[in-house]
């Protein structure tokens, strides 16, 4: 086998690049840990001062990422004559920094600073607006954020649609041109399926959940299932927050949070399984990628595919509950006394249009995303302005879900994302569902007994497959490369459409 | 009033210096938080990789502190013609960085690196040595550490004794010449008092503590007392660790830990009060000093004075228990059923020579420190070598405490300090006791009802005095300036000698 011999200049640049990557990643790990701390552990009086300390760290990461040193190293390492000699891992690292550098180096420092201050203020304004159902309070900030995003899109550059420049931040390579047909197909079939479910008039026994479930028992059950479904408790934690999330520090330290509600036992249960999907992904990344930019999941969409896969395809399957329901009954014998497992299964798969995205079921969830996608796309194209959003929001809710919010608090003001400038983020959630269904199809080919092994509680076999095919690679591949490598084709909405059709036809006896 | 007008060069240097100070302090706050996290929260599998991330942050702080930029700024700001024009706060900040810069700039980077690796390895070796009672396992590391410390002392420079160069790291301005007479006086009187106590043959009823105290109840009691004695729970936390400590992130975020032992109720109780003394100090620092090097306590010795003052002078006083004992009885009605408050008071003030420093009583504690002080001083002077320590240790234990350890594990190997190179640290503990007794004398002049207000639970009045006289200043003053400002004189061992004599004459009826 011929060994590639690197030019000494390239060799030297590679060593310097790796040291810079390691430094940036060390800083990022620390930022991840302290972000978790401030949400989960920090006493409230110290948070505002500490935010300035983390601001200093974030600025340092930004400066290193767009530094002259980084620019020079990337220039050497991406030059046509050198790139062929590089190994796959180095190329992937260079790709990640190159993308960020190309975008961010053109943002003038004072514009970035102004934008950072704006989003900090906008978040406070949004919180007040939501609490008081007062869209006007948030509007001036939203308008400025949209102005910034339009400016950034021009600076970042795009080929067809200005929204592409933002989508690419969350899902590298994603464009409106790719997303439109995927989402159109999913939207049409979802609206149609929802219509048929509602026409059928059949109900699931979800009144099971109109009972009180002791929080201490819920905690015990959540801690009981986590290691069984594959989360390594010696390489992670489970804590409580108002908004559940997963935060990876490194592959040996992944932290999940969940939320316990006495009158809603589903919230913590599926919240924990969902975050475990994110967390197991991070625990399974190849340890050789640690201390490098490759140490995390491939993209927001691929990440979401892993949480959705575990939450819905696995965690809301009949077989999952055939395995876990006898255990659950031990924790809640009184509440579940007269409830059979198949009733319970149907109850956790209730389809019901509702106003709040984070509480939506597996089918209508994607319709909530479509609404946000269409709004963001229209805003970026200049088809309408921020002030028009409440009316557009309510109209789309009526069109897709058949219900109209009675307030902006349960409508256009419900999500935090726009207040921190996260335009382009929402599609990741539905991409996750699309990826997940496509991965489900593939795993069922490799493991024909897929649902049988779930019924037997052999989640280790499923996790081993996910680790081998997806998790271990971290950011080595782009999301598109990865899905093709795993499933043999690019993202195809057909799999999710068929999955939903099949599952809910059975649940609702269509 | 005449306004000092600063030269534009000085003005500019001051602005740059403040920005650099803020950046270093931001990094240090983050390091403090993640150190706490790794001891208290982090899952074990992620810690070794994360240690490299914090290593990167620590290196950054070191680099910034000895940078060319720092050197240039300090040169401008400490020059004879400029220094007079500076305000008190700026001068204090400059003093702190100047001291570190002068010492550390002369340490060659590779020597520092070599030393860092050595202490990391030495810590592992010490842990093994202590676990297996195997001094020989630790000896080669200890020898190298002592060689390094002797080298560093020469590089740092000193006027009379090489140990002075190390003492100064923990207690700025402290020397063997100052410490010798203080410690000699304290040692003589302590040995003498201990002898009289043992001669008297009178016992305290400390068998009270040979009972099981439910850990959940201990936790509740600890959380009950913390806010009453002055710790702000909205600006801090209380958690559990094997080795209790206090960690300040900023004045609004101070974290304490304690250790609960079912068969030793005193451990958590006095541990919590002790750490609260450190924590309240940090919570009380002037918020204007936040995000600067002045945001912490004046020195290790002054810090220890605040923890000892609260633990011993306040927390082991008769009046403290007259206030808290009825509450404690509610938590442990069975265990304390037939125990009167004055018996309990005498029991928590039991004097009994023992092998382990951290478990020692208020009187013999200082004798443990003397042993370490004399050993460190002799090592630095080259009077003996590391291999001689077990024999010297055991001889001194016999001389001062009248007991000989049966193993090195409960002798020379018990403390972690030497393994991380903390030679010069131990005297701070006894300095803390000396400062505390001198401060006690002063507060009793200002508040003649001192013990009466303790009996009434008005800890707020005591904390207000400590805040006004000591805590608010952070590092504004050197330890010597501060003790003179507060008490009107330099550190004087007489106050601790008298305090111990008076208290234990009463407890033991001498």
């Amino acid at each position: 086998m011929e060994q590639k011999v690197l030019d000494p200049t390239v060799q030297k640049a590679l060593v310097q690049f790796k040291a810079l990557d390691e430094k940036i990643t060390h800083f990022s790990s620390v930022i991840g840990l302290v972000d978790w701390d401030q949400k989960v552990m920090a006493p409230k009086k110290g948070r505002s001062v500490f935010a300035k300390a983390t601001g200093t760290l974030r600025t340092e990461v930004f400066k290193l990422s767009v530094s002259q040193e980084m620019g020079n190293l990337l220039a050497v390492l991406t030059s046509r004559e050198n790139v062929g000699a590089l190994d796959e891992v180095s190329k992937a690292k260079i790709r990640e920094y190159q993308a960020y550098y190309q975008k961010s180096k053109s943002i003038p420092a004072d514009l970035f600073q102004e934008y950072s201050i704006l989003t900090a203020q906008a978040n406070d304004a949004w919180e007040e607006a939501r609490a008081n159902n007062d869209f006007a309070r948030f509007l001036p900030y939203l308008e400025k954020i949209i102005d910034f995003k339009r400016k950034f899109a021009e600076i970042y550059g795009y080929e067809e649609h200005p929204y592409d420049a933002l989508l690419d931040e969350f899902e590298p390579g994603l464009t409106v041109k790719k997303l439109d047909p995927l989402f159109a197909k999913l939207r049409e079939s979802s609206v149609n399926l929802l219509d048929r479910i509602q026409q059928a008039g059949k109900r699931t026994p979800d009144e099971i959940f109109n009972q009180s479930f002791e929080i201490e028992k819920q905690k015990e059950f959540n801690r009981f299932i986590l290691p069984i479904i594959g989360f390594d408790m010696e390489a992670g934690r489970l804590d409580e927050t108002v908004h559940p999330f997963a935060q990876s520090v490194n592959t040996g330290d992944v932290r999940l949070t969940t939320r316990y509600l006495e009158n809603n036992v589903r919230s913590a249960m599926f919240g924990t399984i969902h975050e475990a999907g994110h967390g197991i992904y991070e625990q399974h990344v190849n340890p050789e990628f640690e201390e490098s930019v490759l140490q995390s999941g491939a993209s927001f969409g691929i990440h979401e595919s892993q949480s959705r896969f575990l939450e819905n395809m696995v965690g809301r399957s009949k077989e999952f509950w055939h395995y876990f329901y006898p255990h659950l009954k031990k924790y809640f014998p009184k509440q579940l006394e007269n409830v059979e497992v198949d009733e319970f299964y149907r109850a956790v798969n209730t389809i019901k249009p509702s106003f709040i995205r984070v509480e939506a079921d597996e089918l209508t969830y994607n319709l909530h995303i479509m609404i946000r996608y269409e709004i963001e796309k229209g805003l970026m194209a200049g088809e309408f302005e921020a002030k028009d959003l409440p009316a557009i929001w309510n109209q789309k809710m009526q069109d897709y879900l058949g219900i109209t919010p009675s307030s902006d608090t349960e409508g256009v003001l419900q999500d935090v994302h726009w207040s921190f400038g996260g335009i382009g983020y929402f599609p990741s959630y539905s991409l996750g569902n699309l990826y997940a269904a496509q991965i489900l199809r593939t795993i069922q080919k490799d493991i024909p007994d897929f649902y049988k092994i779930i019924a037997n509680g052999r989640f280790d076999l499923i996790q081993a497959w996910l680790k081998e095919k997806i998790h271990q690679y971290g950011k080595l591949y782009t999301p598109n490369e990865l899905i093709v490598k795993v499933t043999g084709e690019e993202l195809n909405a057909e799999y999710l459409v068929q999955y939903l059709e099949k599952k809910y036809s059975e649940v609702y006896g269509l």
Side-chain angles (χ1 to χ4, degrees), chain A:
Chain A
M1 222 173 88
E2 195 190 5
Q3 180 75 38
K4 284 170 185 166
V5 178
L6 286 176
D7 177 279
T9 319
V10 180
Q11 186 64 50
K12 195 177 155 208
L14 208 50
V15 169
Q16 290 174 344
F17 172 76
K18 280 181 183 165
L20 190 53
D21 174 28
E22 189 174 288
K23 183 170 178 178
I24 290 171
T25 309
H26 281 165
F27 277 36
S28 301
S29 291
V30 170
I31 291 170
L33 190 155
V34 299
D35 279 350
W36 171 86
D37 177 272
Q38 296 298 297
K39 286 178 194 147
V40 183
M41 291 293 161
K44 69 177 185 187
K45 284 189 184 167
R47 282 184 223 150
S48 67
V49 169
F50 194 74
K52 295 197 249 171
T54 49
T56 294
L57 232 67
R58 276 182 231 282
T59 304
E60 205 62 24
V61 168
F62 177 77
K63 282 186 191 166
L64 291 168
S65 303
V66 299
S67 61
Q68 189 64 50
E69 185 191 3
M70 179 65 88
N72 294 342
L73 292 171
L74 289 171
V76 174
L77 296 170
T78 59
S79 76
R80 198 175 302 270
E81 63 270 31
N82 293 333
V83 75
L86 296 171
D87 62 292
E88 186 183 30
V89 171
S90 296
K91 271 193 250 184
K93 291 176 188 174
I94 293 161
R95 178 197 70 218
E96 291 296 317
Y97 283 105
Q98 177 76 357
Y100 188 81
Y101 180 82
Q102 285 303 332
K103 285 191 162 195
S104 306
K105 75 172 185 350
S106 314
I107 304 278
D110 53 351
L111 196 69
F112 193 85
Q113 174 78 357
E114 203 187 319
Y115 174 69
S116 302
I117 293 165
L118 171 66
T119 51
Q121 294 167 338
N123 192 265
D124 291 342
W126 167 77
E127 280 191 4
E128 271 186 52
R130 189 172 76 149
N132 303 316
N133 188 34
D134 179 8
F135 183 73
R137 171 82 181 84
F138 182 46
L139 181 58
Y141 294 93
L142 184 56
E143 283 173 338
K144 280 183 204 155
I145 286 171
I146 292 163
D147 281 348
F148 266 104
K149 287 289 167 179
R150 287 172 177 165
K151 249 181 253 174
F152 288 163
E154 296 308 320
I155 295 173
Y156 292 164
Y158 53 87
E159 289 196 9
E160 296 192 11
H161 197 290
Y163 191 38
D164 294 350
L166 305 188
L167 288 172
D168 186 74
E169 284 191 272
F170 300 97
E171 201 66 12
L174 190 69
T175 60
V176 166
K177 193 175 174 180
K178 286 185 189 170
L179 206 43
D180 266 348
L182 291 165
F183 274 13
K185 182 168 199 166
L186 180 59
R187 189 181 58 243
E188 276 161 39
S189 78
S190 297
V191 169
N192 177 282
L193 178 56
L194 177 60
D195 194 44
R196 280 151 52 219
I197 287 169
Q198 291 185 309
Q199 296 292 330
K202 195 171 169 188
R203 292 198 56 246
T204 59
D206 65 333
E207 63 280 358
I208 295 166
F209 300 117
N210 298 336
Q211 303 180 77
S212 167
F213 290 75
E214 303 88 324
I215 284 180
E216 277 311 310
K217 292 284 160 197
Q218 290 195 43
K219 286 187 186 176
E220 287 173 30
F221 182 68
N222 275 273
R223 294 193 168 276
F224 167 70
I225 62 175
L226 267 184
I228 299 175
I229 61 178
F231 185 76
D232 180 353
M233 291 298 288
E234 288 188 352
R237 300 176 49 92
L238 175 65
D239 295 279
E240 284 180 65
T241 45
V242 178
H243 304 290
F245 68 100
Q247 176 70 54
S248 163
V249 176
N250 56 49
T251 67
D253 184 351
V254 179
R255 304 178 184 199
L256 315 180
T257 71
T258 194
R259 170 175 62 168
Y260 299 99
L261 301 172
E262 182 145 355
N263 58 4
N264 183 355
V265 71
R266 282 174 292 189
S267 176
M269 208 153 67
F270 290 105
T272 300
I273 299 169
H274 178 96
E275 301 306 337
H278 286 299
I280 294 164
Y281 189 176
E282 295 284 325
Q283 287 182 337
H284 282 175
V285 171
N286 184 346
E288 285 178 23
F289 296 165
E290 281 194 307
E291 303 177 80
S292 90
V293 69
L294 304 183
Q295 78 172 0
S296 280
S299 69
F300 284 79
I302 298 287
H303 234 299
E304 199 66 15
S305 81
Q306 296 309 293
S307 55
R308 296 278 161 182
F309 184 82
L310 201 61
E311 178 192 353
N312 290 332
M313 280 71 179
V314 175
R316 281 193 168 87
S317 71
K318 193 179 277 184
E319 292 76 8
F320 185 89
W321 289 107
H322 273 266
Y323 180 76
F324 274 115
Y325 193 63
H327 297 287
L328 185 66
K329 278 190 104 155
K330 284 189 216 141
Y331 290 90
F332 302 106
K334 201 166 54 68
Q335 291 90 336
L336 303 175
E337 195 175 5
N338 298 311
V339 182
E340 295 301 315
V341 60
D342 287 352
E343 279 181 275
F344 185 82
Y345 160 70
R346 290 180 54 236
V348 300
N349 285 293
T350 300
I351 300 294
K352 191 188 266 174
S354 61
F355 298 116
I356 305 298
R357 174 183 60 85
V358 295
E359 291 166 10
D361 58 70
E362 197 177 0
L363 173 64
T364 61
Y365 188 93
N366 296 310
L367 297 172
H368 287 270
I369 298 302
M370 306 294 168
I371 292 170
R372 289 152 179 81
Y373 170 66
E374 290 167 17
I375 286 175
E376 291 186 345
K377 195 172 60 163
L379 282 170
M380 290 306 291
E383 290 164 13
F384 41 81
E385 296 300 326
K387 67 175 169 39
D388 307 320
L389 294 198
I392 294 174
W393 183 282
N394 291 352
Q395 184 57 51
K396 286 190 186 284
M397 280 294 290
Q398 189 59 49
D399 291 349
Y400 298 160
L401 288 154
I403 54 176
T404 300
S406 62
S407 72
D408 289 334
T409 295
E410 62 175 19
V412 70
L413 285 173
Q414 69 182 267
D415 294 306
V416 68
H417 301 59
W418 293 338
S419 80
F420 67 73
I423 297 176
Y425 190 133
F426 283 118
S428 312
Y429 294 116
S430 282
L431 281 176
N433 290 329
L434 292 164
Y435 284 129
Q438 189 162 330
I439 290 164
L440 175 67
R441 180 67 66 101
T442 305
I443 197 172
Q444 285 183 287
K445 280 187 206 152
D446 286 4
I447 310 177
D449 281 346
F450 179 74
Y451 282 113
K452 199 169 154 196
I453 68 173
I454 290 179
N456 292 330
R458 292 298 308 274
F459 300 95
D460 57 323
L461 299 174
I462 294 171
Q463 293 298 352
W465 189 93
L466 293 170
K467 181 178 181 176
E468 186 205 330
K469 302 287 182 182
I470 299 167
H471 298 173
Q472 63 159 320
Y473 296 118
K475 272 198 203 304
L476 184 62
Y477 301 116
T478 65
N480 191 53
E481 285 168 359
L482 186 65
I483 196 71
V484 171
K485 185 177 160 68
V486 176
T487 69
E489 62 176 309
E490 298 205 358
L491 189 57
N492 181 340
E494 193 54 45
Y495 300 110
L496 181 59
V497 167
Q498 288 175 16
Y499 162 83
L500 292 169
E501 182 70 30
K502 180 158 177 271
K503 177 168 177 180
Y504 290 98
S505 292
E506 191 247 316
V507 171
Y508 281 92
L510 301 181

